[in-house]
Amino acid sequence: MVPSVGLTKRFRFSAGQERPHRPWLRAAAAVVAGALPALAFPAPALWWLAWLALVPWLLLVRSAGTARRAALEGWLGGAGFLLAVHHWLLPSLHVFILVLAALLGLLWVPWGLLVHRLLGGSPGPGRVAAALLVVPSGWLLAELVRSWQYLGGPWGLLGASQWQVAPALRVASVGGVWLVGFLVVAVNTALAALISAPGPRGRITALAGGLACAAVVGGIWLGAPLPQGAGAVRIAVVQPGVIEGTDSVQRRFAREEELTRQLAGQRVDLVVWGESSVGEDLGQQPRLSSRLAALSRTVGADLLVNVDARRSDRAGIFKSSVLIGPDGPTGDRYDKMRLVPFGEYIPARSLLGWATSVGKAAQEDRRRGDRQVVMRLPEGRGGGLRIGPLVCFESAFPDMSRQLARNGAQLLVAQSATSTFQHSWAPLQHASLAAMRAAETWRPMVHATLTGVSAVADARGRTVGPWLGTGRSTAAVYDVPLARGTSPYVRTGDWAADGALGVLVLFCAAEAVRVGRRRANPPARSPR
């Protein structure tokens, strides 16, 4: 009896049931596999890894013994991905980042179910072909939902890892970061199917799918339109560096003043300061306004500063991009619309206000602006250049830069401050977004920070001049080429994301029909 029992147990385990200790190992493997794609983002910036980093996670989920297990491993992998991409938030959020990752990781539960349904078991060519469309669509669904500003925003979209890859940037000009992400996941799916498909027909289908993705990228690279040159402007970025301790607001302003004066005689068209570069409301501090106006006259250019203060004309604290001319504030002002959860406000503060006791969450909610603004420089100072300002992580939102381009902006400007995360991956990750937004919109982008990393990208997403690292306290001048024309993405919008949602709707309808037919015509039972 003993040998037969052992054989029976081995047979059950080989048929897909898991040994008692394996669920814990699989759970840990799911977290690690989900975290692997984070290495494609800066600082490691192993962009090529994104095209195969999902394969271990896909193979793990497809091999789950049950759909319930696949859903769990989708959840754990999603949590691992978010923890890895946002690990630099740990000093600010402490244990709360684990709660957020666990909650947002649930968005990958449907993705795990889709992977198990289409790639699990012994997938034939039909299921493999469906997986090449449905699995990337399921990934985009998770990214779209978490991109809602109240769930944290679109930081760490997989397609954004390709910010330094010229063909991928060209793809972004056609379908945005969403199309890039779809193709990255599709290639990963093809590789996973190529490894796991049991028959040659399934593997041939997977290979054909991978080649189709390459053909799409190649076709766009060869055939997509390019922005046309339209002159250039000289933009100065003032980066004062880390200034902490007593009277840091005043000492930072003094350093910014000093650096800006050094730009006199360099014929710049616009000087850009970082986020929270001015810590007092200009309406209440005419002395500050006068100092800024004097700087504008000295340099011969308008200044774009960022005021982080309680308003004198409205209730509450706002973060505002303010244009300063030789006579003071010009009246052009943009109030930040999309705030950083927990950093600038606490969602559902009555329920989650305890987060202030375990991290550096906002003690008082900032107020939101209600519209985007395109500012215009005077004809004699900047040639009438139209500027589209964004503040901090608003540069992560593709729709905001797209709308500014539609509204006529010739130059996108993001004012940021990541000094809280100075020695992490955050400054580099943030700076890299400038390339993706510029490529999507055919509008060059200036990413100006208080403490680095500051960067400039042209209308194709290519780097202009040197990046200013986190160790720099300086002012740098960039000759930024302008462009004319409207990119396909600005013209057509998020069609790739909409198409992914359409694929999922069709798949769910097909599954409903399949289940209905099975219930209507149950398989005949074989006689005993």
Side-chain angles (χ1 to χ4, degrees):
M1 288 294 294
V2 175
S4 64
V5 171
L7 289 172
T8 302
K9 287 184 177 179
R10 280 196 294 272
F11 176 78
R12 286 207 312 267
F13 294 145
S14 64
Q17 295 186 12
E18 298 164 343
R19 294 183 186 273
H21 66 278
R22 286 190 62 193
W24 298 100
L25 292 176
R26 290 183 64 97
V31 174
V32 173
L36 185 61
L39 296 176
F41 295 89
L46 304 176
W47 63 266
W48 51 268
L49 185 62
W51 298 90
L52 49 88
L54 294 179
V55 173
W57 189 8
L58 287 162
L59 294 176
L60 183 71
V61 173
R62 72 160 294 277
S63 68
T66 64
R68 181 177 180 180
R69 185 74 202 182
L72 174 64
E73 290 168 358
W75 172 39
L76 293 173
F81 174 74
L82 293 172
L83 276 174
V85 172
H86 298 87
H87 72 275
W88 41 269
L89 287 171
L90 185 60
S92 295
L93 298 183
H94 295 289
V95 69
F96 203 76
I97 192 175
L98 300 176
V99 178
L100 290 175
L103 291 174
L104 293 177
L106 291 169
L107 296 174
W108 275 267
V109 166
W111 184 77
L113 293 172
L114 291 172
V115 172
H116 187 261
R117 167 70 183 88
L118 293 171
L119 294 180
S122 301
R127 277 206 283 158
V128 170
L132 292 170
L133 288 176
V134 176
V135 171
S137 297
W139 183 278
L140 256 62
L141 174 63
E143 290 197 328
L144 282 166
V145 174
R146 78 177 181 91
S147 293
W148 187 39
Q149 58 175 310
Y150 298 105
L151 289 181
W155 192 287
L157 298 181
L158 192 58
S161 67
Q162 305 303 295
W163 62 275
Q164 55 186 321
V165 184
L169 292 172
R170 188 77 62 84
V171 170
S173 74
V174 173
V177 69
W178 310 113
L179 181 57
V180 179
F182 183 95
L183 291 171
V184 169
V185 181
V187 170
N188 277 274
T189 305
L191 290 173
L194 194 62
I195 294 170
S196 61
R201 294 178 61 195
R203 289 194 289 270
I204 290 173
T205 303
L207 180 60
L211 293 175
C213 292
V216 169
V217 175
I220 292 175
W221 173 254
L222 294 174
L226 290 169
Q228 301 300 310
V233 290
R234 285 174 64 81
I235 307 296
V237 172
V238 172
Q239 180 176 297
V242 178
I243 299 175
E244 298 175 332
T246 306
D247 298 330
S248 59
V249 173
Q250 291 77 14
R251 289 189 293 113
R252 180 184 301 115
F253 188 92
R255 177 59 176 161
E256 290 163 332
E257 251 185 330
E258 178 186 1
L259 292 171
T260 303
R261 288 195 191 97
Q262 297 173 9
L263 299 169
Q266 297 193 43
R267 302 192 310 278
V268 297
D269 297 302
L270 176 69
V271 180
V272 183
W273 289 13
E275 179 188 13
S276 303
S277 49
V278 178
E280 298 176 83
D281 181 72
L282 297 178
Q284 291 182 318
Q285 297 292 336
R287 175 181 54 84
L288 284 182
S289 293
S290 298
R291 289 169 66 179
L292 290 169
L295 282 176
S296 175
R297 293 191 297 270
T298 298
V299 177
D302 284 12
L303 279 62
L304 185 67
V305 302
N306 188 271
V307 179
D308 184 358
R310 195 175 300 278
R311 291 273 290 266
S312 58
D313 56 340
R314 297 175 63 180
I317 301 173
F318 288 80
K319 284 192 175 181
S320 306
S321 300
V322 178
L323 192 64
I324 307 292
D327 299 319
T330 65
D332 285 330
R333 182 186 190 114
Y334 166 67
D335 297 323
K336 185 177 182 180
M337 296 171 61
R338 297 184 182 174
L339 305 177
V340 180
F342 299 97
E344 294 170 335
Y345 79 103
I346 296 182
R349 182 177 283 271
S350 60
L351 295 176
L352 302 177
W354 57 269
T356 59
S357 64
V358 297
K360 299 177 182 178
Q363 298 295 325
E364 179 183 349
D365 291 351
R366 297 296 196 270
R367 300 298 181 90
R368 302 175 187 275
D370 54 13
R371 64 186 179 90
Q372 291 187 264
V373 174
V374 174
M375 303 175 178
R376 190 182 184 102
L377 297 183
E379 289 293 338
R381 296 168 62 91
L385 179 71
R386 296 185 296 274
I387 308 163
L390 299 164
V391 182
C392 192
F393 94 138
E394 288 182 332
S395 65
F397 291 85
D399 65 301
M400 295 195 74
S401 53
R402 175 173 171 262
Q403 187 60 49
L404 287 171
R406 290 173 65 91
N407 291 346
Q410 297 170 285
L411 176 73
L412 304 176
V413 178
Q415 297 172 295
S416 175
T418 52
S419 53
T420 304
F421 315 106
Q422 190 74 355
H423 303 292
S424 72
W425 295 359
L428 286 166
Q429 286 183 10
H430 202 179
S432 70
L433 294 174
M436 187 61 64
R437 300 290 88 84
E440 287 173 336
T441 60
W442 284 3
R443 296 295 179 264
M445 186 167 193
V446 174
H447 178 81
T449 71
L450 289 182
T451 60
V453 172
S454 298
V456 178
D458 71 7
R460 298 190 191 183
R462 299 172 300 191
T463 298
V464 175
W467 283 23
L468 303 182
T470 54
R472 303 286 300 280
S473 175
T474 187
V477 178
Y478 298 85
D479 290 308
V480 183
L482 299 176
R484 65 169 62 91
T486 303
S487 74
Y489 174 67
V490 169
R491 187 181 303 114
T492 59
D494 297 326
W495 62 268
D498 295 338
L501 295 179
V503 167
L504 292 175
V505 169
L506 292 175
F507 175 76
C508 291
E511 285 292 286
V513 170
R514 183 182 65 83
V515 172
R517 287 177 177 174
R518 176 176 292 181
R519 289 178 177 176
N521 302 290
R525 294 183 179 180
S526 57
R528 294 183 179 178

